[in-house]
Amino acid sequence: DIQMTQSPSSLSASVGDRVTITCRASQGIRNDLGWYQQKSGKAPKRLIYGASHLQIEVPSRFSGSGSGTEFTLTISSLQPEDFATYYCLQHNGYPPTFGQGTKVEIK
Amino acid sequence: QVQLVESGGGVVQPGGSLRLSCAASGFTFNTYGMHWVRQAPGRGLEWVAFISYDGSNKNYADSVKGRFTISRDNSKNTLYLQMNSLRAEDTAIYYCAKDITNFAVVTYYFDYWGQGSLVTVSS
């Protein structure tokens, strides 16, 4: 199975901060990577597909980049509603696998 | 809008069985592959099973192969997960999720998720 390693596992940030989360794949996955946001007690919500394509309902402060083995999710200006756990998903290799999550907390 | 509503979760003893259902609406159910994804308490996400749009193709995670069966009834817009020989490590919230692509193409990218159904395996 392809291992997905997210870093950091958690971070503290303030409203307005720029936040970057990294996801590394144990082998190349082209751009077959998605990002999800999960708030406490809720289902994951889609953010990005194809490594960099924003889902239509997602605010433009979110962006994704990368290809191959290294990917990033950036929130350009953190908003109160962005405090959540973020997961990456690779769907190039079978089975699909998730990163372990990055919890974004209020500083 | 797309809605996925799971039901059927509960508490079951080790070795027992449970069947989850997922009622779908807001999209053409019989043209999309569907998945089950689970999340153990306080843990990350794990893909469990996939079924193609017409039910002809099914795939399972190694951790559930031989114990879980995914199925669908396109006349009822409903997805199922039959779980047998349950173990403590199967305790999790089970989400049904829609694949982003339709018909014979499967992407294993999940664009819509249900709210989840909690399964607790405990004596």
Side-chain angles (χ1 to χ4, degrees):
Chain A
D1 298 4
I2 296 175
Q3 306 303 315
M4 303 300 294
T5 303
Q6 275 184 245
S7 59
S9 55
S10 65
L11 63 91
S12 295
S14 301
V15 173
D17 283 355
R18 182 182 181 89
V19 169
T20 299
I21 298 168
T22 297
C23 196
R24 288 187 174 88
S26 60
Q27 64 190 72
I29 58 169
R30 302 185 306 179
N31 66 341
D32 295 328
L33 183 108
W35 289 98
Y36 296 87
Q37 177 193 67
Q38 187 178 34
K39 295 184 179 178
S40 182
K42 301 292 188 182
K45 174 191 163 186
R46 64 184 195 174
L47 291 178
I48 286 172
Y49 67 98
S52 61
H53 302 285
L54 223 60
Q55 294 285 2
I56 191 168
E57 71 278 8
V58 176
S60 59
R61 63 182 179 273
F62 289 90
S63 64
S65 65
S67 184
T69 61
E70 187 153 338
F71 303 85
T72 59
L73 172 70
T74 300
I75 309 172
S76 61
S77 178
L78 199 65
Q79 298 302 301
E81 60 268 30
D82 300 336
F83 292 96
T85 300
Y86 294 84
Y87 293 93
C88 62
L89 162 73
Q90 73 78 22
H91 56 92
N92 179 269
Y94 178 84
T97 48
F98 293 89
Q100 80 277 15
T102 296
K103 187 172 185 178
V104 177
E105 298 175 300
I106 301 172
K107 181 183 278 185
Chain B
Q1 73 281 23
V2 173
Q3 276 202 312
L4 299 168
V5 180
E6 300 93 337
S7 60
V11 180
V12 61
Q13 292 188 336
S17 299
L18 210 57
R19 188 177 84 155
L20 302 181
S21 300
C22 171
S25 61
F27 66 103
T28 311
F29 181 72
N30 63 4
T31 66
Y32 285 90
M34 296 293 296
H35 304 266
W36 289 98
V37 178
R38 69 183 180 183
Q39 185 170 36
R43 304 292 296 275
L45 298 159
E46 178 189 19
W47 171 80
V48 172
F50 161 78
I51 186 167
S52 60
Y53 71 102
D54 60 356
S56 63
N57 186 26
K58 303 175 185 180
N59 291 319
Y60 299 93
D62 287 345
S63 57
V64 306
K65 201 173 293 182
R67 300 187 299 121
F68 290 12
T69 301
I70 190 171
S71 62
R72 64 192 297 161
D73 185 338
N74 285 344
S75 68
K76 296 181 178 179
N77 284 0
T78 302
L79 175 72
Y80 302 100
L81 186 68
Q82 177 67 44
M83 303 182 292
N84 298 331
S85 302
L86 282 161
R87 306 166 179 167
E89 55 265 35
D90 296 319
T91 295
I93 297 171
Y94 285 75
Y95 298 100
C96 67
K98 172 185 165 293
D99 198 277
I100 196 172
T101 51
N102 58 1
F103 292 113
V105 179
V106 56
T107 305
Y108 289 94
Y109 172 84
F110 322 114
D111 62 346
Y112 290 96
W113 301 60
Q115 86 288 350
S117 185
L118 177 62
V119 172
T120 303
V121 184
S122 174
S123 55

